[in-house]
Amino acid sequence: MSAKPEHYDLIKKPIITEKATMASEAGAVVFQVAMDATKPQIKEAVEAVFGVKVKAVNTVVAKGKAKKFRGRAGERSDKKKAYVMLEAGNTIDVSTGL
């Protein structure tokens, strides 16, 4: 399956944090995805873009924090994260670009 432009719109960027690194040891890769992306769409996009087999997709919506911007109250936007579990033998190197 070849990657379509809408696949690149779904997957925004890989998330490289301490928690995501711990998940990668269990065979999961974490991506920030579009807020309206569904689990089947995320699975299809990751398989098409990276050429791997996906076992499961779990999603989390991280609510934006209330912060002050130059003394004024503001709020960061919400983010959707996808924990993508890969089939055995499949890997994605998130340190390189798409």
Side-chain angles (χ1 to χ4, degrees), residues 17-30 83-85 91:
T17 59
E18 193 172 345
K19 190 172 182 180
T21 307
M22 298 274 283
S24 70
E25 292 169 10
V29 186
V30 186
Y83 287 81
V84 179
M85 299 293 293
T91 57

Side-chain angles (χ1 to χ4, degrees), residues 42-44 46-47 52-57 83-87 90 92:
I42 295 166
K43 179 178 179 177
E44 182 186 326
V46 171
E47 287 180 345
V52 294
K53 290 296 290 171
V54 173
K55 184 171 24 172
V57 177
Y83 287 81
V84 179
M85 299 293 293
L86 301 176
E87 294 279 1
N90 289 292
I92 295 175

